[in-house]
């Protein structure tokens, strides 16, 4: 990694200082290559990244790749059943080892000179090399990896932040969803011409939901904020919340978000970059679908009638998930440039569910696919606008954009503390 | 806007000093990103730019966009009938407000959170924002705008040069053409892989016309220069000029260019970046068409038989127009990178003319479409050549390239005086 | 040419010093724009480059272009039958003169203003220019050019290295092949997304051949190295070599490579960037074809049965050739960016051979086309891997990658000595 020079660090520091409290980010944060390089180093290579679901690689030798910023990481299940994260780079001449984005292998054989590595990365065979070299030093480089209830996270950092608090906060909430006993129903990749922060900014407020997300707002309460919470909504929310408490408290499945508006996240003052909560759905909605009806068999530990709202999880800088009782949708962000983000959405169902028989993608996909595409268009519009020299960051709504402000403060804190 | 550093300014100054008098520009002027950034700041953001014709937006709420260098400007007719130039950037989070390149609206509603602006840019509605903010400070940013006989010019500069001299020089000439009572017959956009200066250099001489523009030279005298003006041409020009004077002087429509060769333009010694003149056509040509015959009803104040030559107007850095008695053709340049220029051509006819009935595009377009495409190919060839390390600027013809030299001196003067 | 600044030179020097002896190159050598700029200046513009074959331009006025790094060079046969290398840039305004990649002309006429040059580059006609200019100073710029037994080499350097040693080393070996009496059977261009050095690194070892080149290894001995040379192979090689010596020694066509493994090349200690040798083929192979049988009439001075192995020639930084008795295959590299190389392959046969009657491309092309495409895929894989921050250069096999080490040392020597 090419380190930033002292002059570049100073320039970056001055740029970060341009943000006015309570306002959006200034133009250079979306427009300066140096900012992007800093983000890659300090945030994306510094933290934990969602790579995919462990159910994508059920058997030893199954693997998929996660590519970021020139790097390619192999997520593979080894013979002991553990997920390993290995850099997809031969230790000999540097060829990639796995050409396909996913597959199943017994051992990793470099296509160039057939150096051969075990599933845990150690070097097994290197025909043609001279004596006197230390084979044990030439296994595949490892990245840090953690599995969390069927979700796989990697860190490209030598010294990643402690994953344990994230695990403790999320695992108990996630366990009943049974993501470890799931299967992929559908993966869709989007190429969105917007800076990754704009995608998060969009995700961190529902001020835009009323007009932009007609499907989403029918199912949820969280677009109502303190300034527009009317009596009817408050009453309905109270009813739903109370019923949930009465019915599900014992099993730990009662909703934990009992207010309108989005759960507060992240927490820049305590550097909390992960969270999970259970959020009520509108009466009549058992699942985040167009009509609120189930579209697949129940997942995990849920039992009929599973009016357990939605489980929501998120981890900065690249992951969020909305899980209904019958299906679960993960979103993974990957910057591929200053103004371009690759976004992968993964729909999961119970591992025993069979397509056509137990579920129908035409019924399952629209809710989140429509909501997502509405958001990507918004992000592209915003990128077009912040490109302008005439862009000046406006004031944020304290009622509706509190989480956006939290996100921006978290972002600035990460960057600033890395620069020192 | 990221200002240039002192070191960059110095480098730019040294680069500009490389030009040898009477010769073309050195390679870095077409090849150095810093030169391009300087041009954007000093010339394109410093001067007046042709955006389009006011007849594109006849009614209140009609708008079109003009995009340059990351910025997007909305040209809109307000309720008082004035053309406003508003930056297409929401004052809240910076989203663009108008997604389509043209349209008609009652008010501007940002697609993100529905902040709503009047046609004059002031903020009308911002539901969801807290008390204590000053709404009057959050209208859309304005750019400077001037209308000149149906032509719309904008400036992105905070402090644009005085438009009045340009107005005084051009308006009386343009008035009889009636561009304010015109309509668009056709718009064609070209993506030309050449630096914008090469397009102007090509425009500023007719040394290349004899071989490259077989259509153009049939209609015009201006490709004959002092060194190749023969008796027959001089006689014909004198005849045509005298006839024009006799017939049209009273109405102010007599030709003003009475010599062969191009009118001298620009004037770097007095910083004249605008001009207009009336130029004779060859006997038998009433319009710049393949056969010289009319292809549409007369425009403006002209009356049959309208042997009034052609009205020509030009403004640096991005506009020229050739108007015949029956149709008018505007050309607008927009750099989209160091070696790429977007070029828009707009054909206008009288507002009452109806396609198919009164005019036929197959007859109207070829003259200028062929001439333009011949020129764009020349510019691409030149760009390919000046990319070469072996390119050395050659001597300019004092007979035929005097205007090119004027253009280069004007360009260097603009750049140098901005650098100081 | 924009010279590198002192700071850039220092940075480049430090980067080059990162290489550990006996290992591959560090990541910046494939990833740093400055390294690429240095290579263009010091290696590609400093040395001799293969442009094509003289049989591509048999008659006066025949020409083809060779483009590199923004420059375009016209290789043309003049009226005296000499090959000239002229920069494809008009001395007037810098337009390219030849638009097509190859053709035949009587004189060079610039398409812009018809300045006209003779085939040797001097300026013949410039209508419209004033008195007092020195026409003799405005001929087309020349590049250095040398013909070597039908192969055309150019240098963009003002002061190219001495070509004579290369000529002396190669011409006697090449002469019997008769490339000066050949014709082009096929040209194929490949756009390979890999740094040019990776293409050479691949070319300089046959460690990868066993698995990747099933066709190639059937015909050749050179993929066997000191560590894997078995008795049977040694015996067969000895037999073939002895027979060649007995039969062809008098005519100077005996094989000169009598060992397994690749001929040592280049020689960084003596800056030898050219070489040629004659290499045995496996018993039963008269030509590098899928079945070893001839696919065209004998070339040059060869006579039946022409079991003369293969003639191999190479010149850094952009040329190699494998010639069988009946056809010859040249490969030319041209970097078009840090991670992209244009590769041209040219198949030649005897000038009197007629397609369909005397040779069939379906039989001639597969051997080298398959081998080449196998290699290009390898290079692309390696580029993808060395892009990674996790790439660390591994140890090279002293048995099998000795030439790769020689290439890397030559490369570093060229760069370092240019930096000083």
């Amino acid at each position: 990694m090419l380190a930033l020079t002292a002059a570049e660090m100073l320039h970056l520091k001055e740029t970060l200082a341009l943000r006015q409290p309570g306002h959006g980010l200034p133009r250079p944060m979306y427009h300066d290559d140096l900012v992007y390089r800093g983000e890659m180093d300090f945030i994306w290579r510094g933290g934990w990244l969602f790579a995919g679901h462990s159910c994508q690689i059920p058997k030893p030798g199954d693997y998929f790749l996660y590519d970021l910023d020139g790097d390619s990481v192999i997520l593979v299940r080894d013979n002991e059943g553990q997920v390993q994260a290995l850099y997809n780079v031969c230790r000999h001449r540097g060829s990639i080892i796995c050409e396909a984005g996913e597959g199943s292998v017994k051992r990793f054989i470099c296509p160039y000179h057939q150096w051969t590595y075990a599933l845990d990365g150690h070097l097994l065979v290197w025909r043609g090399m001279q004596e006197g070299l230390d084979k044990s030093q030439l296994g595949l480089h490892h990245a840090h990896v953690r599995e969390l209830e069927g979700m796989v996270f990697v860190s490209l950092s030598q010294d990643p932040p402690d994953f344990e608090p994230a695990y403790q906060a999320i695992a108990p909430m996630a366990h009943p969803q049974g993501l470890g006993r799931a299967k992929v129903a559908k993966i869709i990749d989007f190429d969105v011409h917007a800076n990754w922060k704009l995608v998060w900014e969009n995700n961190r407020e529902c001020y835009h939901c009323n007009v932009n997300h007609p499907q989403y707002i029918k199912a949820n309460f969280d677009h109502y904020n303190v300034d527009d919470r009317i009596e009817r909504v408050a009453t309905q929310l109270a009813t739903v919340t109370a019923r949930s408490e009465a019915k599900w408290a014992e099993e730990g499945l009662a909703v934990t978000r009992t207010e309108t508006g989005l759960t507060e996240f992240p927490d820049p003052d305590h550097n909390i970059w992960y969270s999970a909560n259970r959020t009520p759905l509108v009466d009549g909605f058992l699942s985040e679908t167009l009509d609120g009806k189930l579209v697949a068999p129940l997942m995990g530990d849920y039992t009929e009638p599973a009016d357990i709202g939605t489980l929501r999880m998120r981890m900065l800088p690249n992951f969020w998930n909305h899980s209904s009782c019958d299906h679960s949708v993960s979103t993974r962000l990957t910057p591929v440039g200053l103004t371009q983000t690759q976004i992968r959405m993964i729909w999961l169902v119970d591992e025993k569910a069979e397509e056509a028989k137990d579920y129908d993608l035409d019924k399952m996909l629209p809710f989140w696919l429509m909501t997502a595409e509405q958001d990507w268009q918004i992000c592209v519009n915003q990128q077009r606008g912040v490109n302008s020299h005439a862009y000046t960051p406006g004031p944020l709504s304290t009622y509706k954009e509190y989480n956006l402000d939290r996100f921006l403060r978290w972002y600035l804190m990460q960057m600033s503390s890395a620069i020192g």
Side-chain angles (χ1 to χ4, degrees), chain A:
Chain A
M1 172 179 347
L2 296 177
L4 299 181
T5 65
E8 287 171 336
M9 285 294 229
L10 183 61
H11 172 74
L12 198 46
K13 199 167 179 171
E14 289 170 353
T15 303
L16 295 170
L18 296 174
R19 194 228 173 186
Q20 208 183 331
H23 288 67
L25 295 180
R27 180 175 187 261
M29 265 80 150
Y30 306 109
H31 215 265
D32 187 333
D33 280 314
L34 191 58
V35 170
Y36 183 73
R37 281 177 56 203
E39 292 171 359
M40 285 297 108
D41 287 359
F42 306 146
I43 292 180
W44 289 84
R45 297 183 166 281
W48 286 94
L49 307 176
F50 175 70
H53 284 282
S54 68
C55 68
Q56 296 175 252
I57 45 173
K59 297 185 300 297
D62 292 349
Y63 79 88
F64 65 88
L65 303 181
Y66 182 46
D67 292 351
L68 172 74
D69 190 33
D71 293 7
S72 177
V73 179
I74 308 169
L75 286 306
V76 63
R77 192 168 299 279
D78 70 16
N79 288 317
E80 281 68 49
Q82 295 302 304
V83 177
Q84 302 270 355
L86 307 169
Y87 282 97
N88 188 15
V89 184
C90 184
R91 292 299 303 278
H92 175 218
R93 297 263 296 281
S95 174
I96 56 163
I97 289 173
C98 297
E99 295 180 66
E102 58 182 28
S104 191
V105 296
K106 287 215 175 338
R107 299 186 294 180
F108 294 110
I109 303 175
C110 177
Y112 206 161
H113 306 91
Q114 292 73 52
W115 282 30
T116 302
Y117 303 87
L119 296 181
D120 67 1
H122 77 267
L123 180 56
L124 297 169
V125 177
W126 60 354
R127 277 189 297 197
M129 296 301 291
Q130 60 272 28
E131 299 296 309
L133 299 172
D134 186 355
K135 205 191 217 171
S136 72
Q137 297 301 305
L138 289 162
L140 295 178
H141 289 300
H142 280 256
H144 294 270
V145 62
R146 285 296 304 265
E147 220 183 314
L148 190 174
E149 289 291 329
M151 297 171 278
V152 179
F153 295 87
V154 297
S155 179
L156 308 187
S157 174
Q158 305 276 356
D159 183 25
D162 190 3
F163 191 77
E164 218 46 38
Y167 189 91
Q168 295 301 335
I170 292 178
M173 298 288 296
H175 184 74
Q177 187 71 33
L179 296 179
R181 294 163 276 156
K183 63 176 250 192
V184 171
K186 185 72 178 176
I187 294 179
I188 302 182
D189 288 316
F190 303 86
D191 185 29
V192 179
H193 286 261
N195 183 275
W196 68 274
K197 297 187 296 296
L198 295 180
V199 183
W200 269 110
E201 294 177 29
N202 170 265
N203 175 272
R204 290 293 78 217
E205 49 91 354
C206 219
Y207 183 5
H208 68 277
C209 294
N210 282 312
V211 169
N212 286 287
H213 299 314
Q215 298 81 25
Y216 182 83
I217 61 171
K218 280 180 62 184
N220 286 283
F221 291 104
D222 54 8
H223 58 292
Y224 296 107
N225 287 91
V226 67
D227 67 319
D228 59 3
R229 197 169 48 195
I230 56 172
E231 188 58 27
R232 185 183 56 77
V233 171
T235 306
Q236 201 193 105
L237 176 60
T239 308
V240 169
T241 303
R243 193 166 65 206
S244 170
E245 179 62 27
K247 181 170 176 186
W248 293 108
E250 258 177 57
E251 303 180 42
L253 295 172
V255 297
T256 59
R257 176 65 183 169
T258 59
E259 302 290 318
T260 55
L262 297 180
T263 315
E264 288 76 8
F265 176 80
D267 180 348
D269 299 319
H270 305 88
N271 191 15
I272 306 295
W273 43 273
Y274 46 81
S275 85
N277 57 275
R278 192 167 285 282
T279 304
L281 287 171
V282 165
D283 218 3
F285 277 78
L286 289 173
S287 178
E288 287 191 318
T289 57
L290 293 184
D291 60 5
K293 293 183 183 153
L294 302 197
V295 289
L298 292 180
M299 294 183 76
D301 302 335
Y302 301 140
T303 55
E304 295 272 10
D307 52 347
I308 42 78
T310 57
L311 169 67
R312 301 178 182 192
M313 302 177 283
R314 48 199 82 84
M315 275 205 203
L316 285 166
N318 87 327
F319 173 70
W320 65 80
N321 173 287
H322 274 238
S323 293
S324 289
C325 62
D326 58 340
H327 73 292
S328 174
V329 187
S330 291
T331 300
R332 182 187 79 178
L333 309 187
T334 310
V336 289
L338 190 56
T339 61
Q340 198 172 342
T341 305
Q342 194 242 30
I343 306 183
R344 167 165 286 195
M345 294 181 70
I346 307 175
W347 282 259
L348 300 171
V349 294
D350 184 77
E351 64 185 353
K352 289 187 290 290
E354 293 176 36
E355 192 175 346
K357 180 165 160 266
D358 297 317
Y359 65 93
D360 179 352
L361 291 177
D362 287 348
K363 293 221 171 81
M364 186 186 300
L365 301 186
F367 186 93
W368 277 112
L369 185 54
M370 292 167 86
T371 302
E373 289 181 337
Q374 291 151 0
D375 279 332
W376 310 161
Q377 183 58 45
I378 285 170
C379 295
V380 168
N381 284 344
Q382 194 178 359
Q383 181 69 54
R384 282 179 62 190
V386 299
N387 285 342
S388 175
H389 295 74
Y391 161 63
T392 45
L396 302 180
S397 168
T398 53
Y399 299 134
K400 295 169 182 291
E401 294 173 305
Y402 47 89
N403 270 341
L404 197 162
D405 187 61
R406 285 166 173 266
F407 168 70
L408 298 182
R409 287 198 292 126
W410 176 85
Y411 163 78
L412 291 167
M413 193 192 71
Q414 295 298 304
M415 295 289 281
S416 299
S417 68
I419 294 171

